[in-house]
């Protein structure tokens, strides 16, 4: 698995103290859920009784000269912030960024004398004079004042809006988002869990974003990848990786996590860092991940999705917006992307218990909300109508209040009045997306390449001068114990390759705790490591398997392989250990008459010994001969060709299999003829696991199957590949190791 002592192993999420806090939190959830059942707005009122203000005493009473001057500021790139603080360090930077305009939306508690750089500061009084229909329904003392700033920016000609807060300090001293063109694509195809914890992709599976469904928290769960956006055909991009219309940049130091995490991980707060080397990742349609309003870039075709709901709490509003907008993005052929950290959050003071109360709806409703959104459909042909329709449906399910239906209607009208052009609706079909994902997964080595790219980035993220980076984890499967009752029997055809045993153990020991080696010409150096056998240069290598069965009884099964075979342990772990693992042999050959030459394409396979084999009347029992004849359709002697550089034999058939193989060994029957024939004699092929095996050649066979092309055959579903020599060098080992860790199980 991952060979680095500097990468933290994945451990339990909570200590006893953390569990106590979590139990306290869950009991609070239960109480507040009962309250909410009686009054959907009750939790909101408990969180902040002043968050919904009725009326506005500061009405526009005439032309405003200062506002008229602010209209002179125009531009395509806008930053929107609301604040009740004096200018922070982050705002000092944001208000002076070249190429960007910034609008700061005042609230009733904001400083009257607020001023910073070239920022436009919209006072409470000026907001009343803008003529926007949403202004009368936006409460004071509320984060949702931002809605007014969004409309202001769009009216000024914004084509890009950067949504942020006054405690997010840009790392590069600029709004720096990578082009998502080469982003990897992540997805979830689980009907019961449509969520992806994107923090895992950036090296912190032990951290989850605010708004992530609590039942889906699992720091062992792998991120599922499709090929990178750039590697897909255009038609496939449009279905599983449409344009990233919204990009969420991560935040280092004190990122946006929920109150449960903060109350149970206090020692880690302000020290969290994600991998700066990880590629950006976009979500395939049908997959959800929460995103916030603190470090998010909206392109023009997503500006309609900026509106924050007003009937939910401060800690819920941007998360609910994020889920709502993700569903509608699929209807306009758009997607959500996440990028490496672009800001450091110097978090303003918060009361974590108050945050907890504010987030109750996230804990109780998120899973249901995601399921609702995933199944919501509309027949409307324009986005404007769908925006309102979805908000009405959300209100009917009590995810939001009726105030947000009113807001959505006003928002759409305001966007139309300022000249915003809504993107066209395209036909989204969840069935089509899932069918495309299933079609792409097994046919593209690119999905493996995406995982390798991600894992390599994580491995390179450790920085000795920054202890926080030591928490970054490379996500692999939990410790593997699927073969603790299986013996891996490795045969060396030639004695000159024993120095590769350490490399072999590095690759396979994490999966197979029990490994034995067999081979010829064992010198003193390897006398205690390799068991000596005579296998006629590999032609009789099955003697290693039979010898291991005799020397090491008691295992549930025996997996025999040669040293130049690549196995896929995680794929093999899916198979029943009580069945034979072997592809069904090739078409048999009638050998009643052996007087002639061997068939031309038999190559090195020895033709002569089979004559003696079939003349040995004691070799097969009557029942075994009948089983062979039933498979071949030939009454009497018949040779069955079965490539056999790897085979699994369950212990239950060993008493019949081992003696038969010893008899075939006495006749020096070639490996590819002996093993398949013996298995046919003792076990009907209908009871086998017909695994997928791939074979390459040195000089023989099709040109595209020469050994130089071995990487092309390491695809999902392949159980074994022959022949690949580990002696080719370290890069071969590293590639195989990555493939074993990341290849998708079929």
């Amino acid at each position: 698995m991952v060979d680095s002592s500097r990468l933290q192993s994945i451990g339990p999420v909570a200590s006893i103290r953390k569990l106590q806090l979590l139990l306290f939190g869950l009991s609070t959830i239960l109480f507040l859920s009962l309250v909410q059942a009686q009054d959907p707005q009750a939790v909101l009122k408990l969180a902040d009784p002043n968050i919904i203000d009725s009326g506005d005493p500061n009405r526009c009473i005439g032309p405003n000269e200062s506002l008229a001057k602010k209209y002179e500021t125009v531009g395509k790139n806008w930053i929107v912030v609301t604040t009740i603080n004096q200018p922070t360090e982050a705002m000092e930077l944001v208000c002076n960024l070249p190429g960007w305009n910034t609008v700061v939306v005042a609230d009733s508690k904001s400083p009257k004398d607020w001023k910073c750089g070239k920022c436009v500061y919209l006072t409470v009084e000026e907001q009343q004079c803008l003529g926007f229909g949403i202004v009368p329904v936006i409460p004071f003392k509320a984060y949702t004042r931002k809605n007014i700033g969004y409309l202001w920016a769009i009216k000024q000609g914004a084509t890009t809006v950067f949504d942020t807060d006054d405690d997010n300090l840009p790392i590069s001293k600029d709004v720096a988002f990578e082009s998502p063109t080469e982003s990897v694509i992540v997805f979830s195809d689980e009907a019961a869990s449509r969520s992806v914890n994107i923090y895992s992709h950036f090296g912190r599976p032990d951290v989850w974003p605010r708004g992530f469904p609590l039942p889906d928290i699992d720091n062992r769960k792998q991120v599922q990848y499709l090929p990178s956006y750039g590697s897909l055909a255009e038609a496939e991009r449009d279905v599983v990786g449409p344009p990233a219309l919204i990009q969420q940049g991560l935040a280092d130091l004190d990122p946006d996590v929920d109150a449960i995490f903060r109350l149970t991980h206090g020692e880690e707060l302000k020290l969290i860092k994600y991998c700066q080397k990880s590629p950006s990742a976009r979500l395939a349609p049908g997959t959800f991940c929460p995103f916030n309003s603190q470090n998010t870039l909206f392109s023009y075709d997503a500006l309609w999705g900026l509106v924050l709901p007003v009937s939910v709490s401060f800690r819920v509003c941007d998360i609910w917006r994020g889920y709502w907008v993700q569903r509608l993005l699929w209807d306009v052929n758009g997607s959500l992307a996440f990028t490496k950290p672009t800001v450091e959050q110097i978090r303003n003071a918060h009361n974590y218990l108050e945050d907890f109360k504010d987030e109750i709806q996230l804990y109780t409703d998120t899973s249901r909300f995601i399921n609702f959104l995933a199944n919501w459909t509309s027949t409307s042909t324009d986005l404007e109508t769908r925006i309102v329709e979805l908000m009405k449906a959300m209100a009917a399910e009590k995810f939001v209040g009726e105030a947000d239906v009113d807001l959505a209607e006003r928002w759409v009208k305001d966007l139309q009045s300022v000249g915003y052009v809504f993107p066209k609706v395209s036909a989204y079909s969840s069935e089509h997306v899932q069918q495309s994902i299933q079609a792409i997964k097994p046919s593209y080595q690119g999905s493996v390449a995406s995982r390798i790219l991600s894992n390599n980035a994580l491995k390179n993220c450790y920085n000795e001068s920054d202890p926080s980076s030591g928490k970054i984890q490379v996500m692999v499967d939990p410790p593997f114990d699927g073969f603790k009752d299986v013996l891996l029997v490795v045969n060396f055809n030639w004695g000159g390759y024993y120095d590769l045993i350490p490399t072999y153990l590095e690759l396979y020991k994490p999966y197979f705790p029990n490994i034995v080696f067999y081979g010829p010409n064992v010198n003193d150096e390897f006398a205690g490591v390799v068991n000596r056998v005579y296998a006629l240069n590999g032609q009789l290598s099955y003697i290693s398997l039979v010898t291991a069965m005799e020397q090491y009884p008691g295992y549930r099964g025996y997996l025999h392989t040669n040293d130049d075979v690549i196995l896929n342990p995680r794929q093999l772990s899916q198979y029943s250990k009580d069945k034979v693992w072997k592809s069904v042999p090739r078409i048999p050959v009638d050998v009643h008459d052996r007087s002639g030459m061997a068939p031309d394409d038999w190559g090195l396979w020895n033709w002569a010994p089979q004559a003696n084999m079939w003349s040995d009347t004691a070799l097969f029992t009557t029942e075994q001969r009948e089983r062979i004849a039933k498979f071949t359709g030939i009454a009497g002697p018949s040779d069955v060709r079965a490539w056999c550089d790897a085979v699994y034999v369950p212990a239950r058939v060993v008493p019949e299999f081992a003696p038969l193989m010893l008899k075939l060994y006495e006749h020096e029957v070639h490996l590819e003829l002996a093993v398949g024939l013996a298995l046919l004699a003792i076990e009907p092929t209908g009871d086998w696991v017909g695994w997928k095996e791939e074979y390459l050649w040195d000089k023989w066979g099709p040109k595209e199957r020469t050994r130089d092309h071995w990487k092309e055959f390491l695809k999902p579903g392949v159980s074994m590949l022959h022949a690949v020599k580990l002696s080719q060098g370290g890069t071969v080992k590293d590639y195989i190791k990555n493939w074993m860790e990341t290849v998708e199980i079929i």
Side-chain angles (χ1 to χ4, degrees):
M1 313 298 268
V2 178
D3 184 18
S4 174
S5 60
R6 299 171 302 186
L7 298 176
Q8 174 181 301
S9 61
I10 299 173
V13 172
S15 63
I16 296 299
R17 174 180 172 274
K18 295 173 182 176
L19 286 173
Q20 290 172 337
L21 287 169
L22 187 57
L23 288 173
F24 162 75
L26 293 175
S27 64
T28 307
I29 289 175
L30 179 60
F31 164 71
L32 291 174
S33 296
L34 292 172
V35 174
Q36 189 179 30
Q38 301 299 318
D39 179 2
Q41 298 302 315
V43 173
L44 182 63
K45 295 170 185 174
L46 283 171
D48 184 352
N50 297 317
I51 201 167
I52 300 293
D53 261 344
S54 59
D56 175 23
N58 304 295
R59 298 179 180 178
C60 180
I61 57 176
N64 188 304
E65 293 184 6
S66 63
L67 183 60
K69 291 181 180 179
K70 292 174 183 178
Y71 270 109
E72 297 173 3
T73 304
V74 294
K76 296 183 180 298
N77 299 321
W78 279 84
I79 301 171
V80 179
V81 180
T82 187
T83 184
I84 58 173
N85 304 308
Q86 289 290 349
T88 60
E89 179 185 0
M91 290 308 300
E92 292 286 354
L93 177 61
V94 165
C95 287
N96 292 286
L97 286 177
W100 287 87
N101 301 294
T102 302
V103 57
V104 179
V105 185
D107 203 343
S108 57
K109 294 168 61 178
S110 301
K112 300 295 184 181
D113 59 347
W114 198 96
K115 187 175 182 181
C116 184
K118 61 177 184 177
C119 277
V120 173
Y121 184 60
L122 286 179
T123 68
V124 169
E125 295 79 10
E126 290 170 337
Q127 293 166 31
Q128 312 309 309
C129 298
L130 296 176
F132 298 152
I134 66 168
V135 172
V137 298
I138 304 295
F140 287 96
K141 300 178 185 178
Y143 187 72
T144 51
R145 301 301 295 178
K146 264 189 166 185
N147 287 333
I148 299 171
Y150 301 144
L151 272 178
W152 163 272
I154 295 169
K155 185 171 183 177
Q156 307 311 303
T159 57
T160 302
V161 169
F162 178 51
D163 200 9
T164 189
D165 289 340
D166 64 355
D167 54 0
N168 286 273
L169 188 65
I171 294 174
S172 66
K173 313 306 180 188
D174 195 3
V175 179
F177 282 76
E178 295 178 345
S179 169
T181 303
E182 289 301 319
S183 60
V184 296
I185 302 171
V186 301
F187 71 98
S188 173
D189 59 359
E190 302 174 31
S193 175
R194 296 180 172 88
S195 300
V196 169
N197 181 1
I198 203 65
Y199 289 175
S200 293
H201 170 72
F202 293 94
R204 294 303 302 267
D206 55 324
V207 184
W208 60 90
R210 174 169 56 98
F212 192 76
L214 297 183
D216 293 348
I217 295 173
D218 183 355
N219 62 3
R220 301 163 300 173
K221 187 176 181 180
Q222 288 264 16
V223 176
Q224 296 186 81
Y225 293 95
L226 288 174
S228 67
Y229 177 83
S231 67
L232 290 174
E234 186 173 352
E236 292 165 337
R237 292 178 187 175
D238 288 343
V239 177
V240 302
L245 301 182
I246 301 174
Q247 297 182 67
Q248 166 88 82
L250 270 62
D252 273 344
L253 300 186
D254 198 357
D256 188 33
V257 294
D258 64 26
I260 290 179
F261 185 92
R262 294 186 182 281
L263 289 168
T264 56
H265 293 72
E267 70 282 2
E268 296 183 47
L269 298 179
K270 302 182 181 180
L271 295 174
I272 296 173
K273 287 199 172 181
Y274 304 97
C275 183
Q276 283 282 354
K277 300 180 185 295
S278 294
S280 60
R282 71 179 69 195
L283 304 188
T287 299
F288 290 93
C289 183
F291 73 94
N292 58 40
S293 58
Q294 300 173 12
N295 185 31
T296 312
L297 197 69
F298 286 72
S299 62
Y300 185 83
D301 281 344
L303 297 184
W304 52 268
L306 283 162
V307 63
L308 294 162
V310 297
S311 67
V312 296
S313 73
F314 159 55
R315 298 288 292 170
V316 174
C317 66
D318 59 337
I319 301 302
W320 252 216
R321 176 189 72 176
Y323 280 128
W324 167 80
V325 77
Q326 284 179 71
R327 173 58 191 87
L328 290 174
L329 277 177
W330 309 339
D331 288 345
V332 295
N333 195 37
S335 66
L336 167 67
F338 290 85
T339 72
K340 65 184 182 182
T342 57
V343 300
E344 291 181 342
Q345 185 163 28
I346 315 300
R347 187 174 168 87
N348 294 326
H350 275 242
N351 182 313
Y352 297 156
L353 284 176
E354 290 300 317
D355 283 352
F356 177 86
K357 290 189 290 184
D358 236 12
E359 294 170 2
I360 289 296
Q361 192 174 10
L362 296 180
Y363 307 143
T364 59
D365 284 359
T366 297
S367 295
R368 185 171 69 91
F369 190 29
I370 289 173
N371 187 61
F372 160 79
L373 291 171
N375 291 288
W376 180 82
T377 59
S378 171
T379 58
S380 298
T381 57
D382 63 272
L383 181 61
E384 301 95 305
T385 302
R386 291 191 179 205
I387 288 172
V388 176
E389 282 182 348
L390 180 51
M391 196 65 76
K392 287 181 177 179
M394 288 163 55
E397 294 294 324
K398 306 299 183 183
F399 295 117
V400 297
E402 290 298 328
D404 280 310
V405 176
D406 181 30
L407 175 64
E409 293 172 340
R410 291 169 180 261
W411 173 258
V412 167
K413 290 179 180 178
D414 282 341
L415 286 175
Q416 293 169 333
S417 70
V418 299
Y420 178 71
V421 179
F422 288 84
K424 293 182 179 180
V425 167
S426 57
Y428 164 73
S429 165
S430 60
E431 292 79 9
H432 187 201
V433 171
Q434 287 302 316
Q435 288 171 4
S436 298
I437 288 175
Q438 297 305 320
I440 290 170
K441 284 196 303 181
S443 61
Y444 271 90
Q445 183 68 12
S447 59
V448 178
S450 291
R451 182 177 293 281
I452 291 174
L453 176 67
S454 176
N455 281 358
N456 285 343
L458 296 176
K459 292 175 185 177
N460 292 326
C461 263
Y462 180 76
N463 183 347
E464 292 184 359
S465 64
D466 183 3
S468 298
S469 66
K471 294 273 190 177
I472 291 173
Q473 304 169 14
V474 179
M475 281 299 293
V476 296
D477 285 338
F480 197 94
D481 63 357
F483 296 119
K484 61 185 178 182
D485 53 357
V486 170
L487 182 64
L488 179 61
V489 183
V490 183
N491 178 79
F492 283 84
N493 291 334
W494 311 95
Y497 293 100
Y498 296 145
D499 57 347
L500 293 173
I501 287 177
T503 300
Y504 197 93
L505 288 173
E506 183 181 348
L507 287 173
Y508 289 98
K509 196 67 173 178
Y511 304 96
F512 297 93
N514 311 298
I515 305 176
V516 291
F517 298 97
Y518 291 85
N521 306 322
V522 182
N523 58 31
D524 292 341
E525 180 182 359
F526 295 99
V529 178
V530 181
N531 298 280
R532 187 190 305 272
V533 291
Y534 170 74
L536 194 59
N537 298 330
Q539 295 184 42
L540 309 178
S541 64
Y542 53 85
I543 191 58
S544 298
L545 174 59
V546 178
T547 304
M549 290 173 172
E550 294 177 347
Q551 290 181 330
Y552 304 99
Y555 285 95
R556 188 172 175 182
Y558 299 82
L559 178 57
H560 179 260
T561 186
N562 285 323
D563 67 293
D564 56 356
V565 170
I566 298 176
L567 297 174
N568 184 351
R570 295 193 305 122
Q571 183 67 44
L572 299 181
S573 70
Q574 306 301 300
Y575 305 150
S576 169
K577 295 176 189 173
D578 296 322
K579 292 187 176 184
V580 170
W581 304 348
K582 182 75 191 77
S583 62
V584 176
R586 298 178 63 185
I587 298 174
V589 176
D590 189 332
V591 290
H592 280 83
D593 181 7
R594 286 186 182 274
S595 60
M597 297 292 292
D600 292 337
D601 63 345
W602 278 43
L604 295 177
W605 294 1
N606 199 339
W607 172 257
Q610 281 67 243
N612 295 329
M613 175 188 74
W614 284 110
S615 62
D616 183 353
T617 57
L619 180 60
F620 297 107
T621 66
T622 300
E623 186 178 3
Q624 289 172 343
R625 289 177 182 269
E626 289 175 352
R627 290 192 189 118
I628 295 171
K630 184 176 181 179
F631 174 80
T632 63
I634 299 171
S638 58
D639 287 342
V640 180
R641 299 172 58 178
W643 292 326
C644 206
D645 288 271
V647 64
Y648 173 83
V649 180
R652 65 176 180 80
V653 303
V654 167
E656 188 175 0
F657 176 80
L660 179 54
M661 292 305 299
L662 284 175
K663 293 178 184 179
L664 293 169
Y665 179 74
E666 292 172 2
H667 287 286
E668 295 189 345
V669 179
H670 196 283
L671 167 73
E672 268 84 1
L673 298 172
V675 176
L677 197 61
L679 291 173
L680 287 172
I682 65 173
E683 189 85 339
T685 57
D687 295 333
W688 296 11
V689 172
W691 67 11
K692 184 177 182 180
E693 53 189 33
E694 295 284 1
Y695 278 86
L696 308 177
W697 292 268
D698 189 4
K699 299 182 268 192
W700 306 285
K703 185 176 180 180
E704 65 273 10
R705 279 191 174 267
T706 57
R707 294 179 183 178
D708 292 341
H709 295 268
W710 63 274
K711 292 182 182 179
E712 299 172 17
F713 293 88
L714 291 181
K715 296 180 179 180
V718 171
S719 296
M720 58 82 66
L721 173 65
H722 176 274
V724 180
K725 297 290 187 182
L726 294 178
S727 56
Q728 294 180 55
T731 57
V732 171
K733 179 201 71 175
D734 292 341
Y735 190 93
I736 295 171
K737 184 177 181 181
N738 268 319
W739 179 73
M740 287 179 174
E741 293 175 354
T742 61
V743 66
E744 183 182 0
I745 297 172
I746 301 300

